[in-house]
PDB file of all heavy atoms in Angstrom:
ATOM      1  N   LEU A  92      -6.895 -24.540 -10.429  1.00 94.00           N
ATOM      2  CA  LEU A  92      -6.606 -25.748 -11.212  1.00 94.00           C
ATOM      3  C   LEU A  92      -5.890 -26.795 -10.370  1.00 94.00           C
ATOM      4  O   LEU A  92      -6.271 -27.958 -10.317  1.00 94.00           O
ATOM      5  CB  LEU A  92      -5.734 -25.403 -12.429  1.00 94.00           C
ATOM      6  CG  LEU A  92      -6.372 -24.632 -13.591  1.00 94.00           C
ATOM      7  CD1 LEU A  92      -5.314 -24.284 -14.625  1.00 94.00           C
ATOM      8  CD2 LEU A  92      -7.485 -25.454 -14.237  1.00 94.00           C
ATOM      9  N   ILE A  93      -4.819 -26.353  -9.709  1.00 92.00           N
ATOM     10  CA  ILE A  93      -3.940 -27.328  -9.049  1.00 92.00           C
ATOM     11  C   ILE A  93      -4.537 -27.881  -7.758  1.00 92.00           C
ATOM     12  O   ILE A  93      -4.224 -28.997  -7.353  1.00 92.00           O
ATOM     13  CB  ILE A  93      -2.543 -26.707  -8.817  1.00 92.00           C
ATOM     14  CG1 ILE A  93      -1.467 -27.807  -8.874  1.00 92.00           C
ATOM     15  CG2 ILE A  93      -2.480 -25.921  -7.514  1.00 92.00           C
ATOM     16  CD1 ILE A  93      -0.073 -27.289  -9.121  1.00 92.00           C
ATOM     17  N   SER A  94      -5.417 -27.112  -7.119  1.00 87.00           N
ATOM     18  CA  SER A  94      -6.043 -27.604  -5.887  1.00 87.00           C
ATOM     19  C   SER A  94      -6.955 -28.793  -6.182  1.00 87.00           C
ATOM     20  O   SER A  94      -7.221 -29.612  -5.301  1.00 87.00           O
ATOM     21  CB  SER A  94      -6.833 -26.494  -5.186  1.00 87.00           C
ATOM     22  OG  SER A  94      -7.893 -26.042  -6.009  1.00 87.00           O
ATOM     23  N   TYR A  95      -7.429 -28.897  -7.433  1.00 87.00           N
ATOM     24  CA  TYR A  95      -8.222 -30.069  -7.839  1.00 87.00           C
ATOM     25  C   TYR A  95      -7.335 -31.189  -8.365  1.00 87.00           C
ATOM     26  O   TYR A  95      -7.451 -32.349  -7.963  1.00 87.00           O
ATOM     27  CB  TYR A  95      -9.237 -29.676  -8.921  1.00 87.00           C
ATOM     28  CG  TYR A  95      -9.779 -30.868  -9.678  1.00 87.00           C
ATOM     29  CD1 TYR A  95     -10.697 -31.730  -9.097  1.00 87.00           C
ATOM     30  CD2 TYR A  95      -9.342 -31.156 -10.974  1.00 87.00           C
ATOM     31  CE1 TYR A  95     -11.176 -32.843  -9.777  1.00 87.00           C
ATOM     32  CE2 TYR A  95      -9.817 -32.266 -11.658  1.00 87.00           C
ATOM     33  CZ  TYR A  95     -10.732 -33.098 -11.066  1.00 87.00           C
ATOM     34  OH  TYR A  95     -11.193 -34.192 -11.728  1.00 87.00           O
ATOM     35  N   VAL A  96      -6.421 -30.857  -9.266  1.00 91.00           N
ATOM     36  CA  VAL A  96      -5.742 -31.911 -10.037  1.00 91.00           C
ATOM     37  C   VAL A  96      -4.695 -32.669  -9.226  1.00 91.00           C
ATOM     38  O   VAL A  96      -4.477 -33.865  -9.453  1.00 91.00           O
ATOM     39  CB  VAL A  96      -5.137 -31.328 -11.336  1.00 91.00           C
ATOM     40  CG1 VAL A  96      -3.834 -30.576 -11.078  1.00 91.00           C
ATOM     41  CG2 VAL A  96      -4.894 -32.448 -12.349  1.00 91.00           C
ATOM     42  N   VAL A  97      -4.043 -32.021  -8.252  1.00 91.00           N
ATOM     43  CA  VAL A  97      -3.014 -32.733  -7.477  1.00 91.00           C
ATOM     44  C   VAL A  97      -3.610 -33.851  -6.622  1.00 91.00           C
ATOM     45  O   VAL A  97      -3.112 -34.985  -6.652  1.00 91.00           O
ATOM     46  CB  VAL A  97      -2.165 -31.747  -6.640  1.00 91.00           C
ATOM     47  CG1 VAL A  97      -1.311 -32.490  -5.629  1.00 91.00           C
ATOM     48  CG2 VAL A  97      -1.265 -30.930  -7.553  1.00 91.00           C
ATOM     49  N   PRO A  98      -4.682 -33.611  -5.844  1.00 85.00           N
ATOM     50  CA  PRO A  98      -5.280 -34.736  -5.106  1.00 85.00           C
ATOM     51  C   PRO A  98      -5.760 -35.862  -6.022  1.00 85.00           C
ATOM     52  O   PRO A  98      -5.644 -37.039  -5.678  1.00 85.00           O
ATOM     53  CB  PRO A  98      -6.460 -34.091  -4.361  1.00 85.00           C
ATOM     54  CG  PRO A  98      -6.107 -32.650  -4.256  1.00 85.00           C
ATOM     55  CD  PRO A  98      -5.343 -32.332  -5.510  1.00 85.00           C
ATOM     56  N   VAL A  99      -6.309 -35.500  -7.188  1.00 86.00           N
ATOM     57  CA  VAL A  99      -6.766 -36.515  -8.140  1.00 86.00           C
ATOM     58  C   VAL A  99      -5.584 -37.335  -8.646  1.00 86.00           C
ATOM     59  O   VAL A  99      -5.622 -38.572  -8.691  1.00 86.00           O
ATOM     60  CB  VAL A  99      -7.524 -35.865  -9.316  1.00 86.00           C
ATOM     61  CG1 VAL A  99      -7.751 -36.865 -10.457  1.00 86.00           C
ATOM     62  CG2 VAL A  99      -8.866 -35.323  -8.840  1.00 86.00           C
ATOM     63  N   TYR A 100      -4.515 -36.664  -9.026  1.00 90.00           N
ATOM     64  CA  TYR A 100      -3.318 -37.347  -9.533  1.00 90.00           C
ATOM     65  C   TYR A 100      -2.744 -38.293  -8.473  1.00 90.00           C
ATOM     66  O   TYR A 100      -2.430 -39.453  -8.757  1.00 90.00           O
ATOM     67  CB  TYR A 100      -2.264 -36.316  -9.951  1.00 90.00           C
ATOM     68  CG  TYR A 100      -0.975 -36.922 -10.467  1.00 90.00           C
ATOM     69  CD1 TYR A 100      -0.895 -37.458 -11.747  1.00 90.00           C
ATOM     70  CD2 TYR A 100       0.163 -36.957  -9.658  1.00 90.00           C
ATOM     71  CE1 TYR A 100       0.279 -38.011 -12.215  1.00 90.00           C
ATOM     72  CE2 TYR A 100       1.342 -37.511 -10.128  1.00 90.00           C
ATOM     73  CZ  TYR A 100       1.400 -38.041 -11.413  1.00 90.00           C
ATOM     74  OH  TYR A 100       2.570 -38.599 -11.866  1.00 90.00           O
ATOM     75  N   ILE A 101      -2.633 -37.794  -7.241  1.00 89.00           N
ATOM     76  CA  ILE A 101      -2.094 -38.622  -6.157  1.00 89.00           C
ATOM     77  C   ILE A 101      -2.960 -39.863  -5.940  1.00 89.00           C
ATOM     78  O   ILE A 101      -2.460 -40.981  -5.817  1.00 89.00           O
ATOM     79  CB  ILE A 101      -1.978 -37.808  -4.848  1.00 89.00           C
ATOM     80  CG1 ILE A 101      -0.875 -36.744  -4.979  1.00 89.00           C
ATOM     81  CG2 ILE A 101      -1.672 -38.717  -3.654  1.00 89.00           C
ATOM     82  CD1 ILE A 101      -0.845 -35.747  -3.842  1.00 89.00           C
ATOM     83  N   SER A 102      -4.280 -39.675  -5.904  1.00 83.00           N
ATOM     84  CA  SER A 102      -5.173 -40.813  -5.642  1.00 83.00           C
ATOM     85  C   SER A 102      -5.118 -41.839  -6.769  1.00 83.00           C
ATOM     86  O   SER A 102      -5.299 -43.038  -6.535  1.00 83.00           O
ATOM     87  CB  SER A 102      -6.614 -40.328  -5.440  1.00 83.00           C
ATOM     88  OG  SER A 102      -7.190 -39.909  -6.661  1.00 83.00           O
ATOM     89  N   GLU A 103      -4.857 -41.390  -7.997  1.00 86.00           N
ATOM     90  CA  GLU A 103      -4.870 -42.292  -9.148  1.00 86.00           C
ATOM     91  C   GLU A 103      -3.558 -43.039  -9.349  1.00 86.00           C
ATOM     92  O   GLU A 103      -3.530 -44.066 -10.021  1.00 86.00           O
ATOM     93  CB  GLU A 103      -5.236 -41.519 -10.422  1.00 86.00           C
ATOM     94  CG  GLU A 103      -6.693 -41.085 -10.441  1.00 86.00           C
ATOM     95  CD  GLU A 103      -7.104 -40.367 -11.710  1.00 86.00           C
ATOM     96  OE1 GLU A 103      -6.227 -40.011 -12.524  1.00 86.00           O
ATOM     97  OE2 GLU A 103      -8.314 -40.150 -11.884  1.00 86.00           O
ATOM     98  N   ILE A 104      -2.454 -42.535  -8.801  1.00 88.00           N
ATOM     99  CA  ILE A 104      -1.169 -43.224  -9.008  1.00 88.00           C
ATOM    100  C   ILE A 104      -0.760 -44.099  -7.819  1.00 88.00           C
ATOM    101  O   ILE A 104       0.102 -44.959  -7.964  1.00 88.00           O
ATOM    102  CB  ILE A 104      -0.020 -42.229  -9.324  1.00 88.00           C
ATOM    103  CG1 ILE A 104       0.309 -41.341  -8.114  1.00 88.00           C
ATOM    104  CG2 ILE A 104      -0.330 -41.410 -10.565  1.00 88.00           C
ATOM    105  CD1 ILE A 104       1.582 -40.530  -8.279  1.00 88.00           C
ATOM    106  N   MET A 105      -1.375 -43.869  -6.658  1.00 86.00           N
ATOM    107  CA  MET A 105      -0.935 -44.567  -5.446  1.00 86.00           C
ATOM    108  C   MET A 105      -1.655 -45.894  -5.225  1.00 86.00           C
ATOM    109  O   MET A 105      -2.850 -46.000  -5.495  1.00 86.00           O
ATOM    110  CB  MET A 105      -1.178 -43.679  -4.208  1.00 86.00           C
ATOM    111  CG  MET A 105      -0.207 -42.534  -4.083  1.00 86.00           C
ATOM    112  SD  MET A 105       1.468 -43.137  -3.847  1.00 86.00           S
ATOM    113  CE  MET A 105       2.384 -41.709  -4.417  1.00 86.00           C
ATOM    114  N   PRO A 106      -0.943 -46.913  -4.707  1.00 83.00           N
ATOM    115  CA  PRO A 106      -1.632 -48.135  -4.278  1.00 83.00           C
ATOM    116  C   PRO A 106      -2.512 -47.827  -3.074  1.00 83.00           C
ATOM    117  O   PRO A 106      -2.272 -46.851  -2.351  1.00 83.00           O
ATOM    118  CB  PRO A 106      -0.486 -49.077  -3.902  1.00 83.00           C
ATOM    119  CG  PRO A 106       0.682 -48.197  -3.614  1.00 83.00           C
ATOM    120  CD  PRO A 106       0.518 -46.988  -4.489  1.00 83.00           C
TER     121      PRO A 106
END
Side-chain angles (χ1 to χ4, degrees):
L92 288 175
I93 211 161
S94 62
Y95 162 74
V96 78
V97 168
V99 168
Y100 179 77
I101 291 170
S102 72
E103 290 182 349
I104 67 169
M105 286 296 157

